[in-house]
Amino acid sequence: MPRHFANLTGAATLPTSTFQLTARIVDDLVANCAMGVLHGPAGTGKTYAMESALEDQAARNPGLAVTLLSFTSQPTMRLVGDQLLTELTGAATAGGRNRFQITAKLIDLLAHPKRLVVVDEAQRLNSNCIEMLRHLHDDRKTNFALLYVGGDGCWEVLSREPMLRSRIFRRLPFRPLGPAEIPDLIRAYHPIYEGADTELLRSIDETYGHGTMRDWASFTHTAAALCEDADRTRIDAEVVANAFTLLGGGVYA
Amino acid sequence: MPEPTDQARAVVVLNPGDHARATRRLHALPGPGRIVVHPTPGGSAADLARNVLAALGKNPDHVDQDKLTALAAMRHAGAHASAAGVRDLVVDRGHRMPATLLRALAELTQRAGATLWLVHAPDTGAKSVVTPHEVLTGAGLPVTVATFTEFTEQLPVPTVPDQRTNPDVGAPWPVTDWPELPLADFPQFLTVCRRRLPGDLFQALRFLLDQEITTTRSWAGTQRRRGGFTHDRLLAYLRDQRLGPAPSGPVALIRLRAIQIALLTQGHYLRWNPAELGPDPAARLTGVITAKVGAAIASVTDTAASSATALALHLGTSTHGFGLIRLTHLAADGSRLYLPPPADPEAGILAPWEKEGPFSLYDPPDRLYPRDFPHLFTPDPIRLPEPVHRVLAAHRSYRQADGAGEDDPLFLHPTRPGDHNPERGLREAVLRTCHRLHLAPAWLHRTHCRHGDGLLPSHTRAFTWMEDRGLSHHVLAAQRPNPTEAP
């Protein structure tokens, strides 16, 4: 199981529709060596869903190699090539190579075995970097699926490139959970929410959670610690108030 | 910039939306007379040259190993494209190319005399997009615009040739599938083969042997009508027509035995001494330039290095005398080389790098004598191996594109063209190329050794092709006593 935000223990995986669709989309991309995008605001569970789908792939498809890439802000084409080469070879790239040689080497390395390349924080890529990844993906010799995962602005960046419109095989937008979904999902999320009052859960979501799983994980981490300190098994209004105090409300919460 | 040829033109192929179907279509397009280039993203002119060379089947690493500039690499690419008969040059991602690369493509197209199909997405919105129409027109190419549908109609996917066609269906036995044959000398060869080989295999051998005897008798008859054949003509016959192109050692051995039988009845003894040729002497009979070696030479980017290597390997000599070869001596398709011997052998010739100047009385130019270059000044044209025809044609095309006339030298000194003898530099290029191709001909040893130094302009080196194969030619008829004379 993938790691929850802030190493939260005891939390369950929420079977949201986007979470389940992610597994299906990764399946489709790998089967067709195609290109796909997971995008949505920060904390909506993209990375968790992607990691879970990759674990699932590793269990069912042991021959599949997975390469994870994440770049600093505003990477150059050269940096993308070097980092991909480093990930594929496991060694630092030798200097002095020209762009043609790096590209040719990457094409050779991406030819075998079947591979899934995941580019996290894809909104940081510029047009040249996207063109380079397209060039590698379009080459007849390469054999890999390409999954872009990005936060705010990711789809705006990718959709500016006309070349991607006809190449994106699967796209999945992530959104914050709606207030109606919260109570049922959260009760199954962690033992401290078992049987919790619907209104209490909605008030937590309104005040802190905002439908994003990262905020709910942060709140749960704090609330679980407070419950343990107070020798309680479930949250109540007092634990919630103390958690808000620790999570930014201060003494005025 | 080269003069635009009648055939050279550009077609800008519109691919709205930069659609992936264009890339998929382009992957299926390469075929005879057609190459497809997928430029390296963000690449320079040198990278584009490497892309074109790779599409032509050349080794792009040679651009760096030979320290070629982008311009020189692109010129070599143009020569190779011209020699390979490329009529359609398809280039993807035209909308991401700066004007400098488009101009380089225009020059390449003109050198190759081809049609440039530039796939262009007009609506990418990128600021760097230039209008290819203006750039290509400015570079001297007539430009038209075509939709993607028109492009697919005008450039259909080539049909795949049937690879199963066997050219040897007429022969009773596949000619490349022979076992090791007995080394018995030619008077006993057939007898020993009959004893050792299975019946069907012997029949196939007999078929080839008889065919070869007929061919050689026919050749000798032709030579007799021309006044008899000389050692030079026999060397050319063996090297260019019979033993050199033989597909394998056993086939070469059958041909050799047949030639020995046929020549003996004409009063010539062709002796073969396999004792010093190693464990498989029959394999040493064939030429060095097999289809595989020819393909390796063809992958070399520098046309001068590849063509000098092809000539040196075929002739079995170093680059001695290569500076004397002029464009007119080499056939346009690279199939023949002919340096006609002068009418007066003692007159001497002026080397292309020597100039008759006003001070020639005090410092007269050195004259060269064709008798010192018997491997080049031959009575008949030298037939060059088929796998390297395009290699030599590419270099001829390269020189022509550089403005060389028919009387200009085929090879130039790299830094002092026209003023210095290019042979020493060519020899280094041949050594370098042979090293890359894992070939080590003894006559190209860099240091003096028992095999001799290829730089020595000795007469003996002219005949090493036969000596290297343990062959020697003896005329019997002239030594035979006349039975009508009294003792």
Side-chain angles (χ1 to χ4, degrees), chain A residues 77 98-101 103 127-128 131 134-135 138 140 162-163 166-167, chain B residues 17-20 23 27 39-42 47 50-51 64 93 96:
Chain A
M77 202 187 285
N98 57 46
R99 211 181 288 264
F100 176 86
Q101 288 166 329
T103 310
S127 179
N128 287 337
E131 168 70 6
R134 179 215 60 79
H135 179 79
D138 274 357
R140 263 187 136 176
M163 64 177 142
S166 58
R167 289 175 172 84
Chain B
D18 203 354
H19 205 279
T23 307
H27 282 315
T40 303
D47 288 325
R50 292 184 187 100
N51 290 130
D64 302 297
R93 323 295 297 165
R96 297 194 75 92

PDB file of all heavy atoms in Angstrom, chain A residues 77 98-101 103 127-128 131 134-135 138 140 162-163 166-167, chain B residues 17-20 23 27 39-42 47 50-51 64 93 96:
ATOM      1  N   MET A  77      15.525  21.176 -21.879  1.00  0.00           N
ATOM      2  CA  MET A  77      15.470  19.932 -22.641  1.00  0.00           C
ATOM      3  C   MET A  77      16.660  19.048 -22.277  1.00  0.00           C
ATOM      4  O   MET A  77      16.555  17.832 -22.159  1.00  0.00           O
ATOM      5  CB  MET A  77      15.507  20.293 -24.120  1.00  0.00           C
ATOM      6  CG  MET A  77      14.943  19.239 -25.024  1.00  0.00           C
ATOM      7  SD  MET A  77      15.190  19.646 -26.734  1.00  0.00           S
ATOM      8  CE  MET A  77      14.010  20.909 -27.007  1.00  0.00           C
ATOM      9  N   ASN A  98      26.562  15.267 -27.249  1.00  0.00           N
ATOM     10  CA  ASN A  98      25.681  16.247 -27.859  1.00  0.00           C
ATOM     11  C   ASN A  98      24.231  15.753 -27.800  1.00  0.00           C
ATOM     12  O   ASN A  98      23.955  14.622 -27.408  1.00  0.00           O
ATOM     13  CB  ASN A  98      26.117  16.571 -29.291  1.00  0.00           C
ATOM     14  CG  ASN A  98      26.171  15.339 -30.164  1.00  0.00           C
ATOM     15  OD1 ASN A  98      25.237  14.539 -30.135  1.00  0.00           O
ATOM     16  ND2 ASN A  98      27.237  15.174 -30.916  1.00  0.00           N
ATOM     17  N   ARG A  99      23.345  16.623 -28.218  1.00  0.00           N
ATOM     18  CA  ARG A  99      21.918  16.332 -28.096  1.00  0.00           C
ATOM     19  C   ARG A  99      21.518  15.095 -28.911  1.00  0.00           C
ATOM     20  O   ARG A  99      20.703  14.286 -28.483  1.00  0.00           O
ATOM     21  CB  ARG A  99      21.132  17.557 -28.595  1.00  0.00           C
ATOM     22  CG  ARG A  99      19.817  17.761 -27.921  1.00  0.00           C
ATOM     23  CD  ARG A  99      19.166  18.977 -28.524  1.00  0.00           C
ATOM     24  NE  ARG A  99      19.813  20.210 -28.124  1.00  0.00           N
ATOM     25  CZ  ARG A  99      19.411  20.961 -27.125  1.00  0.00           C
ATOM     26  NH1 ARG A  99      18.389  20.592 -26.408  1.00  0.00           N
ATOM     27  NH2 ARG A  99      20.024  22.079 -26.824  1.00  0.00           N
ATOM     28  N   PHE A 100      22.124  14.968 -30.086  1.00  0.00           N
ATOM     29  CA  PHE A 100      21.818  13.818 -30.939  1.00  0.00           C
ATOM     30  C   PHE A 100      22.220  12.515 -30.251  1.00  0.00           C
ATOM     31  O   PHE A 100      21.471  11.534 -30.263  1.00  0.00           O
ATOM     32  CB  PHE A 100      22.572  13.953 -32.274  1.00  0.00           C
ATOM     33  CG  PHE A 100      22.402  12.778 -33.177  1.00  0.00           C
ATOM     34  CD1 PHE A 100      21.315  12.701 -34.035  1.00  0.00           C
ATOM     35  CD2 PHE A 100      23.302  11.726 -33.157  1.00  0.00           C
ATOM     36  CE1 PHE A 100      21.146  11.604 -34.867  1.00  0.00           C
ATOM     37  CE2 PHE A 100      23.142  10.629 -33.986  1.00  0.00           C
ATOM     38  CZ  PHE A 100      22.061  10.577 -34.838  1.00  0.00           C
ATOM     39  N   GLN A 101      23.407  12.515 -29.649  1.00  0.00           N
ATOM     40  CA  GLN A 101      23.889  11.286 -29.008  1.00  0.00           C
ATOM     41  C   GLN A 101      23.025  10.923 -27.807  1.00  0.00           C
ATOM     42  O   GLN A 101      22.716   9.748 -27.592  1.00  0.00           O
ATOM     43  CB  GLN A 101      25.344  11.461 -28.583  1.00  0.00           C
ATOM     44  CG  GLN A 101      26.307  11.463 -29.772  1.00  0.00           C
ATOM     45  CD  GLN A 101      27.680  11.966 -29.407  1.00  0.00           C
ATOM     46  OE1 GLN A 101      27.828  12.815 -28.525  1.00  0.00           O
ATOM     47  NE2 GLN A 101      28.686  11.483 -30.106  1.00  0.00           N
ATOM     48  N   THR A 103      19.881  11.697 -27.347  1.00  0.00           N
ATOM     49  CA  THR A 103      18.582  11.231 -27.846  1.00  0.00           C
ATOM     50  C   THR A 103      18.690   9.813 -28.396  1.00  0.00           C
ATOM     51  O   THR A 103      17.826   8.964 -28.127  1.00  0.00           O
ATOM     52  CB  THR A 103      18.069  12.189 -28.943  1.00  0.00           C
ATOM     53  OG1 THR A 103      18.155  13.517 -28.452  1.00  0.00           O
ATOM     54  CG2 THR A 103      16.639  11.889 -29.310  1.00  0.00           C
ATOM     55  N   SER A 127       7.565  23.878 -23.380  1.00  0.00           N
ATOM     56  CA  SER A 127       7.222  23.313 -24.690  1.00  0.00           C
ATOM     57  C   SER A 127       8.337  22.428 -25.245  1.00  0.00           C
ATOM     58  O   SER A 127       8.086  21.360 -25.812  1.00  0.00           O
ATOM     59  CB  SER A 127       6.930  24.456 -25.663  1.00  0.00           C
ATOM     60  OG  SER A 127       6.616  23.953 -26.918  1.00  0.00           O
ATOM     61  N   ASN A 128       9.599  22.851 -25.052  1.00  0.00           N
ATOM     62  CA  ASN A 128      10.724  22.074 -25.592  1.00  0.00           C
ATOM     63  C   ASN A 128      10.845  20.711 -24.909  1.00  0.00           C
ATOM     64  O   ASN A 128      11.154  19.707 -25.553  1.00  0.00           O
ATOM     65  CB  ASN A 128      12.035  22.855 -25.429  1.00  0.00           C
ATOM     66  CG  ASN A 128      12.118  24.008 -26.386  1.00  0.00           C
ATOM     67  OD1 ASN A 128      11.453  24.009 -27.418  1.00  0.00           O
ATOM     68  ND2 ASN A 128      12.904  25.010 -26.043  1.00  0.00           N
ATOM     69  N   GLU A 131       8.215  18.489 -26.167  1.00  0.00           N
ATOM     70  CA  GLU A 131       8.574  18.062 -27.522  1.00  0.00           C
ATOM     71  C   GLU A 131       9.599  16.923 -27.484  1.00  0.00           C
ATOM     72  O   GLU A 131       9.519  15.970 -28.264  1.00  0.00           O
ATOM     73  CB  GLU A 131       9.136  19.265 -28.298  1.00  0.00           C
ATOM     74  CG  GLU A 131       9.826  18.950 -29.610  1.00  0.00           C
ATOM     75  CD  GLU A 131       8.874  18.480 -30.715  1.00  0.00           C
ATOM     76  OE1 GLU A 131       7.656  18.508 -30.510  1.00  0.00           O
ATOM     77  OE2 GLU A 131       9.388  18.067 -31.773  1.00  0.00           O
ATOM     78  N   ARG A 134       7.849  13.793 -26.469  1.00  0.00           N
ATOM     79  CA  ARG A 134       7.047  13.345 -27.616  1.00  0.00           C
ATOM     80  C   ARG A 134       7.912  12.661 -28.666  1.00  0.00           C
ATOM     81  O   ARG A 134       7.556  11.619 -29.211  1.00  0.00           O
ATOM     82  CB  ARG A 134       6.335  14.548 -28.256  1.00  0.00           C
ATOM     83  CG  ARG A 134       5.499  14.172 -29.457  1.00  0.00           C
ATOM     84  CD  ARG A 134       5.512  15.248 -30.521  1.00  0.00           C
ATOM     85  NE  ARG A 134       6.824  15.528 -31.028  1.00  0.00           N
ATOM     86  CZ  ARG A 134       7.478  14.791 -31.919  1.00  0.00           C
ATOM     87  NH1 ARG A 134       6.939  13.684 -32.401  1.00  0.00           N
ATOM     88  NH2 ARG A 134       8.703  15.134 -32.325  1.00  0.00           N
ATOM     89  N   HIS A 135       9.079  13.260 -28.923  1.00  0.00           N
ATOM     90  CA  HIS A 135       9.992  12.688 -29.926  1.00  0.00           C
ATOM     91  C   HIS A 135      10.380  11.257 -29.514  1.00  0.00           C
ATOM     92  O   HIS A 135      10.381  10.349 -30.359  1.00  0.00           O
ATOM     93  CB  HIS A 135      11.237  13.575 -30.014  1.00  0.00           C
ATOM     94  CG  HIS A 135      12.266  13.093 -30.978  1.00  0.00           C
ATOM     95  ND1 HIS A 135      12.161  13.278 -32.330  1.00  0.00           N
ATOM     96  CD2 HIS A 135      13.420  12.400 -30.792  1.00  0.00           C
ATOM     97  CE1 HIS A 135      13.202  12.742 -32.931  1.00  0.00           C
ATOM     98  NE2 HIS A 135      13.987  12.196 -32.018  1.00  0.00           N
ATOM     99  N   ASP A 138       7.242   8.975 -29.811  1.00  0.00           N
ATOM    100  CA  ASP A 138       6.801   8.729 -31.194  1.00  0.00           C
ATOM    101  C   ASP A 138       7.740   7.808 -31.951  1.00  0.00           C
ATOM    102  O   ASP A 138       7.343   7.219 -32.958  1.00  0.00           O
ATOM    103  CB  ASP A 138       6.710  10.057 -31.966  1.00  0.00           C
ATOM    104  CG  ASP A 138       5.363  10.730 -31.765  1.00  0.00           C
ATOM    105  OD1 ASP A 138       4.518  10.130 -31.077  1.00  0.00           O
ATOM    106  OD2 ASP A 138       5.163  11.849 -32.275  1.00  0.00           O
ATOM    107  N   ARG A 140       9.668   4.881 -33.483  1.00  0.00           N
ATOM    108  CA  ARG A 140       9.182   3.506 -33.686  1.00  0.00           C
ATOM    109  C   ARG A 140       9.906   2.484 -32.828  1.00  0.00           C
ATOM    110  O   ARG A 140       9.359   1.438 -32.504  1.00  0.00           O
ATOM    111  CB  ARG A 140       9.392   3.119 -35.145  1.00  0.00           C
ATOM    112  CG  ARG A 140       8.179   3.310 -35.974  1.00  0.00           C
ATOM    113  CD  ARG A 140       8.425   2.758 -37.332  1.00  0.00           C
ATOM    114  NE  ARG A 140       7.288   1.994 -37.797  1.00  0.00           N
ATOM    115  CZ  ARG A 140       7.223   1.472 -39.003  1.00  0.00           C
ATOM    116  NH1 ARG A 140       8.209   1.593 -39.815  1.00  0.00           N
ATOM    117  NH2 ARG A 140       6.159   0.799 -39.376  1.00  0.00           N
ATOM    118  N   PRO A 162      -0.548  21.748 -29.220  1.00  0.00           N
ATOM    119  CA  PRO A 162      -1.459  21.041 -30.128  1.00  0.00           C
ATOM    120  C   PRO A 162      -1.033  19.602 -30.379  1.00  0.00           C
ATOM    121  O   PRO A 162      -1.856  18.729 -30.601  1.00  0.00           O
ATOM    122  CB  PRO A 162      -1.389  21.860 -31.411  1.00  0.00           C
ATOM    123  CG  PRO A 162      -0.859  23.175 -31.016  1.00  0.00           C
ATOM    124  CD  PRO A 162       0.006  22.952 -29.842  1.00  0.00           C
ATOM    125  N   MET A 163       0.295  19.351 -30.326  1.00  0.00           N
ATOM    126  CA  MET A 163       0.769  17.995 -30.627  1.00  0.00           C
ATOM    127  C   MET A 163       0.219  16.973 -29.644  1.00  0.00           C
ATOM    128  O   MET A 163       0.094  15.794 -29.970  1.00  0.00           O
ATOM    129  CB  MET A 163       2.297  17.963 -30.595  1.00  0.00           C
ATOM    130  CG  MET A 163       2.899  18.252 -29.250  1.00  0.00           C
ATOM    131  SD  MET A 163       4.671  18.096 -29.297  1.00  0.00           S
ATOM    132  CE  MET A 163       5.194  19.425 -28.243  1.00  0.00           C
ATOM    133  N   SER A 166      -3.773  15.153 -30.072  1.00  0.00           N
ATOM    134  CA  SER A 166      -4.049  13.905 -30.784  1.00  0.00           C
ATOM    135  C   SER A 166      -3.258  12.737 -30.209  1.00  0.00           C
ATOM    136  O   SER A 166      -3.361  11.626 -30.709  1.00  0.00           O
ATOM    137  CB  SER A 166      -3.702  14.076 -32.259  1.00  0.00           C
ATOM    138  OG  SER A 166      -2.346  14.447 -32.400  1.00  0.00           O
ATOM    139  N   ARG A 167      -2.470  12.997 -29.200  1.00  0.00           N
ATOM    140  CA  ARG A 167      -1.630  11.923 -28.658  1.00  0.00           C
ATOM    141  C   ARG A 167      -2.049  11.467 -27.270  1.00  0.00           C
ATOM    142  O   ARG A 167      -1.643  10.387 -26.832  1.00  0.00           O
ATOM    143  CB  ARG A 167      -0.164  12.381 -28.630  1.00  0.00           C
ATOM    144  CG  ARG A 167       0.454  12.478 -30.011  1.00  0.00           C
ATOM    145  CD  ARG A 167       1.854  13.033 -29.958  1.00  0.00           C
ATOM    146  NE  ARG A 167       2.514  12.949 -31.265  1.00  0.00           N
ATOM    147  CZ  ARG A 167       2.399  13.823 -32.240  1.00  0.00           C
ATOM    148  NH1 ARG A 167       1.630  14.893 -32.068  1.00  0.00           N
ATOM    149  NH2 ARG A 167       3.016  13.666 -33.388  1.00  0.00           N
TER     150      ARG A 167
ATOM    151  N   GLY B  17      -2.982  21.122 -36.482  1.00  0.00           N
ATOM    152  CA  GLY B  17      -3.089  20.539 -35.155  1.00  0.00           C
ATOM    153  C   GLY B  17      -1.916  19.657 -34.784  1.00  0.00           C
ATOM    154  O   GLY B  17      -1.942  18.991 -33.749  1.00  0.00           O
ATOM    155  N   ASP B  18      -0.880  19.645 -35.623  1.00  0.00           N
ATOM    156  CA  ASP B  18       0.293  18.822 -35.315  1.00  0.00           C
ATOM    157  C   ASP B  18      -0.149  17.399 -34.987  1.00  0.00           C
ATOM    158  O   ASP B  18       0.250  16.804 -33.990  1.00  0.00           O
ATOM    159  CB  ASP B  18       1.040  19.442 -34.122  1.00  0.00           C
ATOM    160  CG  ASP B  18       2.489  19.015 -34.096  1.00  0.00           C
ATOM    161  OD1 ASP B  18       2.851  18.163 -34.920  1.00  0.00           O
ATOM    162  OD2 ASP B  18       3.232  19.523 -33.250  1.00  0.00           O
ATOM    163  N   HIS B  19      -0.985  16.860 -35.854  1.00  0.00           N
ATOM    164  CA  HIS B  19      -1.652  15.589 -35.550  1.00  0.00           C
ATOM    165  C   HIS B  19      -0.692  14.406 -35.582  1.00  0.00           C
ATOM    166  O   HIS B  19       0.234  14.364 -36.398  1.00  0.00           O
ATOM    167  CB  HIS B  19      -2.778  15.357 -36.565  1.00  0.00           C
ATOM    168  CG  HIS B  19      -3.853  14.462 -36.041  1.00  0.00           C
ATOM    169  ND1 HIS B  19      -3.733  13.090 -36.037  1.00  0.00           N
ATOM    170  CD2 HIS B  19      -5.052  14.741 -35.477  1.00  0.00           C
ATOM    171  CE1 HIS B  19      -4.819  12.558 -35.502  1.00  0.00           C
ATOM    172  NE2 HIS B  19      -5.639  13.543 -35.157  1.00  0.00           N
ATOM    173  N   ALA B  20      -0.946  13.452 -34.699  1.00  0.00           N
ATOM    174  CA  ALA B  20      -0.066  12.281 -34.598  1.00  0.00           C
ATOM    175  C   ALA B  20      -0.125  11.401 -35.840  1.00  0.00           C
ATOM    176  O   ALA B  20       0.788  10.618 -36.084  1.00  0.00           O
ATOM    177  CB  ALA B  20      -0.450  11.466 -33.372  1.00  0.00           C
ATOM    178  N   THR B  23       2.978  11.602 -38.015  1.00  0.00           N
ATOM    179  CA  THR B  23       4.141  10.835 -37.565  1.00  0.00           C
ATOM    180  C   THR B  23       3.966   9.366 -37.906  1.00  0.00           C
ATOM    181  O   THR B  23       4.896   8.702 -38.361  1.00  0.00           O
ATOM    182  CB  THR B  23       4.322  11.017 -36.049  1.00  0.00           C
ATOM    183  OG1 THR B  23       4.354  12.408 -35.779  1.00  0.00           O
ATOM    184  CG2 THR B  23       5.601  10.390 -35.569  1.00  0.00           C
ATOM    185  N   HIS B  27       6.369   7.130 -40.459  1.00  0.00           N
ATOM    186  CA  HIS B  27       7.104   5.915 -40.070  1.00  0.00           C
ATOM    187  C   HIS B  27       6.996   4.833 -41.148  1.00  0.00           C
ATOM    188  O   HIS B  27       7.868   3.975 -41.256  1.00  0.00           O
ATOM    189  CB  HIS B  27       6.555   5.369 -38.753  1.00  0.00           C
ATOM    190  CG  HIS B  27       7.034   6.129 -37.558  1.00  0.00           C
ATOM    191  ND1 HIS B  27       8.343   6.505 -37.404  1.00  0.00           N
ATOM    192  CD2 HIS B  27       6.391   6.591 -36.459  1.00  0.00           C
ATOM    193  CE1 HIS B  27       8.476   7.163 -36.264  1.00  0.00           C
ATOM    194  NE2 HIS B  27       7.315   7.236 -35.678  1.00  0.00           N
ATOM    195  N   PRO B  39      13.921  15.131 -37.097  1.00  0.00           N
ATOM    196  CA  PRO B  39      15.007  15.915 -36.487  1.00  0.00           C
ATOM    197  C   PRO B  39      15.002  15.827 -34.958  1.00  0.00           C
ATOM    198  O   PRO B  39      13.937  15.764 -34.334  1.00  0.00           O
ATOM    199  CB  PRO B  39      14.706  17.341 -36.943  1.00  0.00           C
ATOM    200  CG  PRO B  39      13.786  17.206 -38.101  1.00  0.00           C
ATOM    201  CD  PRO B  39      12.991  15.972 -37.848  1.00  0.00           C
ATOM    202  N   THR B  40      16.211  15.821 -34.398  1.00  0.00           N
ATOM    203  CA  THR B  40      16.349  15.827 -32.934  1.00  0.00           C
ATOM    204  C   THR B  40      15.766  17.130 -32.396  1.00  0.00           C
ATOM    205  O   THR B  40      16.109  18.201 -32.894  1.00  0.00           O
ATOM    206  CB  THR B  40      17.841  15.747 -32.566  1.00  0.00           C
ATOM    207  OG1 THR B  40      18.386  14.571 -33.158  1.00  0.00           O
ATOM    208  CG2 THR B  40      18.028  15.697 -31.063  1.00  0.00           C
ATOM    209  N   PRO B  41      14.884  17.063 -31.386  1.00  0.00           N
ATOM    210  CA  PRO B  41      14.294  18.304 -30.869  1.00  0.00           C
ATOM    211  C   PRO B  41      15.379  19.258 -30.369  1.00  0.00           C
ATOM    212  O   PRO B  41      16.293  18.849 -29.640  1.00  0.00           O
ATOM    213  CB  PRO B  41      13.424  17.818 -29.709  1.00  0.00           C
ATOM    214  CG  PRO B  41      13.152  16.395 -29.990  1.00  0.00           C
ATOM    215  CD  PRO B  41      14.356  15.877 -30.711  1.00  0.00           C
ATOM    216  N   GLY B  42      15.242  20.493 -30.762  1.00  0.00           N
ATOM    217  CA  GLY B  42      16.187  21.511 -30.308  1.00  0.00           C
ATOM    218  C   GLY B  42      17.586  21.325 -30.858  1.00  0.00           C
ATOM    219  O   GLY B  42      18.533  21.912 -30.337  1.00  0.00           O
ATOM    220  N   ASP B  47      23.358  18.472 -35.673  1.00  0.00           N
ATOM    221  CA  ASP B  47      22.432  17.392 -35.285  1.00  0.00           C
ATOM    222  C   ASP B  47      21.526  17.020 -36.463  1.00  0.00           C
ATOM    223  O   ASP B  47      21.234  15.847 -36.679  1.00  0.00           O
ATOM    224  CB  ASP B  47      21.571  17.824 -34.094  1.00  0.00           C
ATOM    225  CG  ASP B  47      22.375  17.892 -32.809  1.00  0.00           C
ATOM    226  OD1 ASP B  47      23.277  17.052 -32.653  1.00  0.00           O
ATOM    227  OD2 ASP B  47      22.112  18.783 -31.987  1.00  0.00           O
ATOM    228  N   ARG B  50      23.425  14.894 -38.712  1.00  0.00           N
ATOM    229  CA  ARG B  50      23.499  13.526 -38.164  1.00  0.00           C
ATOM    230  C   ARG B  50      22.182  12.783 -38.417  1.00  0.00           C
ATOM    231  O   ARG B  50      22.175  11.601 -38.748  1.00  0.00           O
ATOM    232  CB  ARG B  50      23.779  13.579 -36.666  1.00  0.00           C
ATOM    233  CG  ARG B  50      25.159  14.089 -36.312  1.00  0.00           C
ATOM    234  CD  ARG B  50      25.402  14.010 -34.808  1.00  0.00           C
ATOM    235  NE  ARG B  50      26.652  14.634 -34.458  1.00  0.00           N
ATOM    236  CZ  ARG B  50      26.768  15.860 -33.968  1.00  0.00           C
ATOM    237  NH1 ARG B  50      25.698  16.592 -33.732  1.00  0.00           N
ATOM    238  NH2 ARG B  50      27.944  16.367 -33.685  1.00  0.00           N
ATOM    239  N   ASN B  51      21.057  13.484 -38.260  1.00  0.00           N
ATOM    240  CA  ASN B  51      19.756  12.852 -38.514  1.00  0.00           C
ATOM    241  C   ASN B  51      19.646  12.390 -39.964  1.00  0.00           C
ATOM    242  O   ASN B  51      19.185  11.286 -40.234  1.00  0.00           O
ATOM    243  CB  ASN B  51      18.615  13.837 -38.212  1.00  0.00           C
ATOM    244  CG  ASN B  51      18.447  14.125 -36.736  1.00  0.00           C
ATOM    245  OD1 ASN B  51      18.381  15.274 -36.332  1.00  0.00           O
ATOM    246  ND2 ASN B  51      18.393  13.093 -35.916  1.00  0.00           N
ATOM    247  N   ASP B  64      31.538  13.341 -35.516  1.00  0.00           N
ATOM    248  CA  ASP B  64      32.388  13.779 -34.401  1.00  0.00           C
ATOM    249  C   ASP B  64      33.783  13.180 -34.503  1.00  0.00           C
ATOM    250  O   ASP B  64      34.771  13.856 -34.250  1.00  0.00           O
ATOM    251  CB  ASP B  64      31.737  13.366 -33.069  1.00  0.00           C
ATOM    252  CG  ASP B  64      30.362  13.970 -32.945  1.00  0.00           C
ATOM    253  OD1 ASP B  64      30.281  15.197 -32.919  1.00  0.00           O
ATOM    254  OD2 ASP B  64      29.380  13.214 -32.920  1.00  0.00           O
ATOM    255  N   ARG B  93       8.367  17.808 -38.477  1.00  0.00           N
ATOM    256  CA  ARG B  93       8.511  18.898 -37.510  1.00  0.00           C
ATOM    257  C   ARG B  93       9.123  20.159 -38.123  1.00  0.00           C
ATOM    258  O   ARG B  93       9.959  20.816 -37.483  1.00  0.00           O
ATOM    259  CB  ARG B  93       9.352  18.469 -36.303  1.00  0.00           C
ATOM    260  CG  ARG B  93       9.170  17.064 -35.829  1.00  0.00           C
ATOM    261  CD  ARG B  93       7.821  16.765 -35.286  1.00  0.00           C
ATOM    262  NE  ARG B  93       7.478  17.532 -34.109  1.00  0.00           N
ATOM    263  CZ  ARG B  93       6.242  17.645 -33.643  1.00  0.00           C
ATOM    264  NH1 ARG B  93       5.245  17.071 -34.283  1.00  0.00           N
ATOM    265  NH2 ARG B  93       5.985  18.338 -32.564  1.00  0.00           N
ATOM    266  N   ARG B  96       9.102  23.498 -36.113  1.00  0.00           N
ATOM    267  CA  ARG B  96       9.982  23.727 -34.960  1.00  0.00           C
ATOM    268  C   ARG B  96      11.405  24.048 -35.401  1.00  0.00           C
ATOM    269  O   ARG B  96      12.313  24.106 -34.570  1.00  0.00           O
ATOM    270  CB  ARG B  96       9.980  22.506 -34.043  1.00  0.00           C
ATOM    271  CG  ARG B  96       8.612  22.212 -33.442  1.00  0.00           C
ATOM    272  CD  ARG B  96       8.714  21.239 -32.305  1.00  0.00           C
ATOM    273  NE  ARG B  96       9.250  21.846 -31.114  1.00  0.00           N
ATOM    274  CZ  ARG B  96       8.515  22.402 -30.154  1.00  0.00           C
ATOM    275  NH1 ARG B  96       7.202  22.434 -30.250  1.00  0.00           N
ATOM    276  NH2 ARG B  96       9.100  22.923 -29.093  1.00  0.00           N
TER     277      ARG B  96
END
